[in-house]
Amino acid sequence: MRTGPPRTHAQSSALVAAAAALAAVAVLALPQPAGAAESSPIGFGAGTTGGGSAPAVTVSTLDAFRSAVSGDTAKVIRVNGLIPLSGQVDIGSNTTVVGVGSASGFTGGGLRLKEVSNVVVRNLNISKPVAPADGITVQKSTKVWIDHNSFSADREHDKDHYDGLLDINHGSDDVTVSWNTFKDHFKGSLVGHSDNNASEDTGHLKVTYHHNLFSNVYSRIPSLRFGTGHFYNNYVSGADTACHSRMGAQMLVENNVFRSTKIAVTTNRSSDVDGFANLRGNDLGGAATEVSRVGTFTNPPYGYTAEPASSVVASVTSGAGTGKL
């Protein structure tokens, strides 16, 4: 029971206002629920804005899409429906491409980001990219955010029938790959296309992968040559070889979960020069590791929060893929 003189009306009002302010601060301080869509990329791709606040244009045919994504002026393109492709469509700089709903996107081919910058690709279904087309190719490009997409193919064909789901090459830089699903494929995500491309790739190919699901993808999760890769809070299930660091690449593999996977991390396969890797906080689930050279990349040059491996499966399975924006 309160003792002393009664509070004045002004004092009571001030106390109520102060309590409300504290409550508001407390709410703002609460972390976002796992899988809540970020409004901007975390990682090496930070600062990528795409078309920003440019007026959105909705397209539902291939011709309309090709026209809408060309050029380097700021633009936001909404893809409504599933559009068949043969080969790839080139995307201009300063572009956001986003799918409408959970089932819009492309099948049979993919998108190419060549010699461009500041591109966002979100909420697209990209399936069965018949070789030589990748689902998405990032080539000689910078500032790219690949977020909340669903990539898939099948394992019923020869391993070379489809090309990569997401390949990043030719000195590309500052890329974040977040909250995507990659399913039913042989060759997931190749970063650095060749052992013979050191002159172009050394010092580049800086890529962050976080909160992605790789399910029944045989290898290249990712395969990284020459570059610097941060692979954290991903869920890998059903792989033969997952993270592959080669040709002097530096990879930090942090707080991921591996299930039904033969080799979680390797640095000494397929290339003449080994890569480097640092591992911390992972749940390997019985998977082996082959780390011939421990790397020096331990502190990424950006702010991020890696959740513990114990919560990754729940976060990724509920939050990754299309329809979650």
Side-chain angles (χ1 to χ4, degrees), residues 49-197:
T49 58
S53 59
V57 174
T58 301
V59 301
S60 57
T61 67
L62 178 54
D63 286 345
F65 179 71
R66 286 187 190 277
S67 175
V69 298
S70 65
D72 295 334
T73 59
K75 52 198 171 296
V76 176
I77 313 303
R78 290 164 48 86
V79 177
N80 188 12
L82 190 64
I83 299 175
L85 290 182
S86 176
Q88 292 182 300
V89 177
D90 286 322
I91 309 299
S93 295
N94 305 309
T95 301
T96 295
V97 181
V98 59
V100 176
S102 60
S104 295
F106 304 95
T107 186
L111 310 179
R112 185 172 70 164
L113 284 56
K114 182 179 180 180
E115 298 178 355
V116 296
S117 64
N118 193 32
V119 176
V120 175
V121 180
R122 306 185 83 186
N123 203 50
L124 293 177
N125 275 279
I126 298 178
S127 63
K128 299 185 176 180
V130 177
D134 299 317
I136 295 179
T137 302
V138 181
Q139 181 177 344
K140 293 185 179 180
S141 296
T142 60
K143 290 294 181 185
V144 175
W145 186 23
I146 310 294
D147 179 69
H148 276 96
N149 303 287
S150 295
F151 297 87
S152 66
D154 62 55
R155 299 274 295 267
E156 299 170 6
H157 291 80
D158 173 87
K159 68 180 180 66
D160 295 319
H161 179 76
Y162 301 115
D163 216 327
L165 292 177
L166 169 61
D167 285 6
I168 302 165
N169 53 44
H170 288 286
S172 293
D173 243 340
D174 299 330
V175 180
T176 290
V177 180
S178 56
W179 297 103
N180 304 283
T181 62
F182 298 83
K183 295 184 176 182
D184 303 326
H185 194 57
F186 280 102
K187 300 176 290 186
S189 188
L190 179 66
V191 183
H193 73 287
S194 167
D195 285 3
N196 301 318
N197 207 45

Side-chain angles (χ1 to χ4, degrees), residues 28-42:
L28 289 172
L30 288 173
Q32 285 187 313
E38 290 117 5
S39 59
S40 59
I42 296 168

